[in-house]
C-alpha cells in the first residue's frame, strides 16, 4: 500500500510541470503613456475641457455687462443649462474614448499573451517578480494598429 501511494505521489510530482502556468505582467500605466491613440484621446479630452473653461470665462465677461437683475437671472439660468449640456456631452465623450482605449489595450494584451504562450497576465503593480514582462510587446502591437 505504501508503495502504491509513493508511486502515485512520484507520478504527480513528475507531471507537475505539465500543470505549471506561465505568468506575464504588463505595466498598464506605461502602456497608456506610450500608446499613440491613448495620448491622442487624452489630448482631445484636454481640448474639450479647455473649451468648456473658455465658455465659462466668456459667459462671465458677458454677465458683467448685463445691468438688469432680471436679465442677469435669465442669463445665469441659460448659461447653467448650456454648461450642463456641455458637461454631459464631455462625460459621454470621455467614457466612450476610455472604453475604446481600454478595449484595445485588453485585446492587445490577450493577443500578445497568446503569441507568447502566456497563461495569465497581471498588472506589474501586483507582481514584483516571477512574471514575463509583456509591456513593450503590447505597446508595439498597439502602435502598429494590429
Amino acid at each position: 500500500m505504501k508503495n502504491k501511494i509513493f508511486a502515485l505521489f512520484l507520478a504527480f510530482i513528475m507531471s507537475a510541470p505539465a500543470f505549471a502556468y506561465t505568468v506575464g505582467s504588463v505595466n498598464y500605466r506605461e502602456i497608456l503613456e506610450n500608446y499613440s491613440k491613448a495620448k491622442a484621446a487624452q489630448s482631445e479630452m484636454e481640448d474639450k475641457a479647455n473649451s468648456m473653461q473658455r465658455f465659462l470665462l466668456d459667459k462671465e465677461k458677458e454677465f458683467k455687462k448685463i445691468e438688469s437683475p432680471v436679465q442677469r437671472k435669465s442669463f445665469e439660468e441659460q448659461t447653467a443649462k448650456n454648461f450642463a449640456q456641455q458637461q454631459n456631452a464631455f462625460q459621454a465623450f470621455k467614457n466612450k474614448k476610455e472604453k475604446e482605449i481600454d478595449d484595445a489595450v485588453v485585446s492587445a494584451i490577450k493577443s500578445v499573451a497568446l503569441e507568447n504562450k502566456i497563461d495569465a497576465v497581471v498588472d506589474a503593480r501586483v507582481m514584483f517578480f516571477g512574471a514575463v514582462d509583456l509591456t513593450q510587446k503590447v505597446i508595439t502591437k498597439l502602435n502598429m494598429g494590429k
Side-chain angles (χ1 to χ4, degrees):
M1 180 70 172
K2 286 185 179 181
N3 288 339
K4 287 183 182 178
I5 292 175
F6 183 69
L8 183 62
F9 179 71
L10 253 159
F12 178 73
I13 289 176
M14 304 232 356
S15 65
F19 298 114
Y21 272 14
T22 304
V23 178
S25 68
V26 294
N27 184 327
Y28 196 82
R29 187 175 306 142
E30 185 179 338
I31 290 171
L32 292 180
E33 288 172 357
N34 293 290
Y35 178 28
S36 59
K37 287 186 181 177
K39 289 193 281 190
Q42 182 65 33
S43 179
E44 279 184 84
M45 286 186 265
E46 288 171 1
D47 288 347
K48 288 187 182 294
N50 289 337
S51 173
M52 290 170 53
Q53 285 181 325
R54 283 191 302 276
F55 170 81
L56 287 177
L57 290 173
D58 291 344
K59 291 300 179 180
E60 185 179 350
K61 289 176 187 175
E62 289 179 40
F63 181 77
K64 289 179 179 177
K65 294 178 183 176
I66 299 173
E67 294 180 15
S68 165
V70 173
Q71 288 177 329
R72 280 185 169 213
K73 180 149 179 71
S74 174
F75 183 83
E76 283 178 334
E77 290 171 356
Q78 187 62 38
T79 301
K81 183 179 174 183
N82 288 344
F83 188 70
Q85 290 172 345
Q86 286 184 19
Q87 282 181 313
N88 291 338
F90 175 74
Q91 191 61 46
F93 173 78
K94 182 179 176 193
N95 291 343
K96 178 182 175 231
K97 286 294 184 181
E98 287 175 349
K99 181 167 179 14
E100 286 174 7
I101 297 300
D102 191 54
D103 289 349
V105 170
V106 169
S107 177
I109 291 170
K110 287 179 182 178
S111 177
V112 168
L114 285 172
E115 291 168 5
N116 291 276
K117 296 181 172 76
I118 304 292
D119 298 307
V121 179
V122 296
D123 192 298
R125 292 176 288 175
V126 297
M127 187 168 231
F128 295 112
F129 60 90
V132 177
D133 187 9
L134 302 173
T135 304
Q136 289 306 314
K137 291 178 181 179
V138 171
I139 291 168
T140 300
K141 181 172 272 309
L142 285 165
N143 288 328
M144 287 177 23
K146 294 183 179 179

